[in-house]
Amino acid sequence: MMTPIKRVNRFFLLLTAPFFGLLLCLWWYQPPLQLNLDVGQFSPIDGPVQETAALQKELTLAKKAASHAIDSVSASAKLYKETTTAMNALVSTAKAQNSRPERIYNNRITAKLGIPSEVISSDRITIELYRLNPGNYKAYALKIKLKDASAMTMSLAESSSGGAETTMQAVNRYGAVAGINAGGFADKAGQRYPLSTTVVGGQYLNGFQPSYKDLSFVGLNKSGQLIGGKFYSRTQLDQLEPKFGATFVPVLLQNNSKVPIPEKWNLTPLRAPRTVMGKYKDDQLLVLVADGYNEYGSSGATLKEIQDKLYTMGVSDAYNLDGGGSSSLIFNGKVINKPSDGNLRRVPTSFLFSE
């Protein structure tokens, strides 16, 4: 598509083309000197003098024409330069005005997080790390802007069902700069299997399983947007074009509204380390990881506290991921949270972020 500046450039090139053509003609054309040697009409002296005078007259006219052409070209070039400068200024102003609402919104949500302790930024992603202390628990947050959808992925341990690895191992294996634990799992015969519907690389790991009880799916679509909720048919989920995703419980926020938390998950356990992922209305992601010294109800955060915190921070959609000893937050090569097991737990899936 031709931009306004390119259209202006083409107009002035077409405008100045005839003048450049005239200059080239004058440069190459040499008027022939025609001498009339008819002695009957001119004297030997008068003939050449008159021919020379005529030639000088033609040269004078050509010089005036060339001077006029040069002046016209110079004026056109000046106008072209001024117009191009003006158009560039207009484009720059339009871009600045267009991004102003985005900056205002970003400043608004950042103000509720505080000052980032660390930032990783590239042409593919920007990740800001915040340390939170709401009072009843201690937590960490990552605000993530995906400039390229491929900057986020979900790992599957050992590239097959039944394997497990720490989130740090997954981060190192993929060369990522940050990572969190993802979906829940079930243990069987010494193997650790992802819970319910799991999508890796756009493919269903063990087929689609309709949502049951309080489980919900959360992941990223092909456009780099967070998707999630309960899905009762594969067609329903396929319409959102999931690129990857995992399953756990429960949904905390959807469409800027709090979702009622099932009583079971409000009490069992009451408090625990938590890992939650949500998004803002501009599709920036927010990850929140709450610390706790055990997963048996006496330390960490309640789901209601996390839900209220995310709601007041302006998050529109949020989904609880596996927690307890599974909660892991890796950033810039370091384990940021304090895993309640004392060490990072091996999990089958992790969400990873790369530069």
Side-chain angles (χ1 to χ4, degrees):
M1 180 180 294
M2 185 172 293
T3 63
I5 292 178
K6 288 183 178 180
R7 286 197 292 269
V8 170
N9 291 348
R10 191 175 71 169
F11 169 77
F12 280 103
L13 286 175
L14 292 174
L15 179 66
T16 57
F19 297 108
F20 285 115
L22 177 59
L23 288 175
L24 289 173
C25 289
L26 292 173
W27 179 262
W28 288 105
Y29 175 67
Q30 298 290 335
L33 182 62
Q34 295 180 352
L35 299 178
N36 190 343
L37 300 179
D38 187 351
V39 295
Q41 185 175 358
F42 297 102
S43 68
I45 297 177
D46 290 343
V49 170
Q50 291 179 359
E51 290 289 345
T52 301
L55 179 59
Q56 288 177 340
K57 183 178 180 181
E58 290 182 14
L59 290 175
T60 300
L61 291 175
K63 183 177 180 181
K64 289 181 179 180
S67 176
H68 177 71
I70 291 172
D71 290 342
S72 298
V73 170
S74 298
S76 298
K78 182 180 179 182
L79 180 59
Y80 165 78
K81 183 177 180 180
E82 291 174 350
T83 303
T84 301
T85 301
M87 290 296 295
N88 284 332
L90 287 173
V91 170
S92 298
T93 301
K95 286 182 177 179
Q97 291 297 326
N98 186 55
S99 63
R100 189 167 179 266
E102 180 181 339
R103 293 199 308 272
I104 292 174
Y105 179 73
N106 187 64
N107 291 340
R108 186 183 305 156
I109 61 177
T110 301
K112 297 178 181 180
L113 288 165
I115 300 174
S117 59
E118 293 185 63
V119 177
I120 293 175
S121 186
S122 71
D123 57 355
R124 300 178 65 217
I125 194 170
T126 296
I127 314 176
E128 299 168 357
L129 172 65
Y130 297 87
R131 300 175 188 273
L132 309 177
N133 190 2
N136 295 330
Y137 61 94
K138 183 178 180 181
Y140 311 90
L142 295 180
K143 184 167 77 69
I144 303 161
K145 182 178 179 61
L146 293 176
K147 305 169 190 176
D148 182 342
S150 67
M152 180 180 175
T153 190
M154 189 181 81
S155 66
L156 179 65
E158 299 180 3
S159 301
S160 63
S161 181
E165 64 185 346
T166 67
T167 300
M168 177 65 86
Q169 289 173 327
V171 164
N172 291 335
R173 186 159 61 89
Y174 278 79
V177 294
I180 58 171
N181 60 294
F185 56 84
D187 290 334
K188 182 179 180 181
Q191 298 291 300
R192 187 155 282 178
Y193 298 93
L195 189 65
S196 192
T197 299
T198 302
V199 177
V200 182
Q203 303 295 319
Y204 289 87
L205 183 61
N206 295 308
F208 173 83
Q209 297 183 33
S211 296
Y212 60 93
K213 295 183 179 180
D214 301 316
L215 293 176
S216 64
F217 176 87
V218 57
L220 215 68
N221 67 12
K222 293 180 179 178
S223 299
Q225 299 168 315
L226 189 71
I227 56 174
K230 295 184 177 182
F231 299 92
Y232 301 102
S233 70
R234 177 167 175 168
T235 300
Q236 185 185 12
L237 180 53
D238 282 345
Q239 288 176 345
L240 299 181
E241 298 185 313
K243 184 178 178 182
F244 55 80
T247 296
F248 201 60
V249 58
V251 177
L252 297 178
L253 299 172
Q254 268 199 321
N255 300 321
N256 301 297
S257 298
K258 296 180 182 179
V259 177
I261 300 172
E263 194 65 23
K264 174 183 178 181
W265 302 106
N266 257 331
L267 301 174
T268 311
L270 176 64
R271 292 188 172 278
R274 309 283 186 184
T275 302
V276 178
M277 185 161 64
K279 72 171 183 177
Y280 293 100
K281 67 180 182 180
D282 66 350
D283 287 322
Q284 288 192 85
L285 303 177
L286 184 74
V287 169
L288 193 148
V289 176
D291 262 339
Y293 55 78
N294 66 43
E295 56 186 4
Y296 305 115
S298 58
S299 71
T302 69
L303 285 177
K304 186 67 168 61
E305 287 172 339
I306 297 293
Q307 183 185 58
D308 290 343
K309 181 66 175 176
L310 295 175
Y311 182 78
T312 59
M313 291 169 67
V315 175
S316 62
D317 299 84
Y319 309 90
N320 187 49
L321 301 173
D322 194 9
S326 297
S327 284
S328 310
L329 175 57
I330 312 301
F331 184 85
N332 208 13
K334 298 172 289 187
V335 181
I336 301 301
N337 68 316
K338 295 178 176 58
S340 62
D341 287 354
N343 295 293
L344 291 173
R345 178 179 290 177
R346 294 168 63 246
V347 294
T349 57
S350 295
F351 289 127
L352 308 176
F353 306 91
S354 301
E355 286 186 284

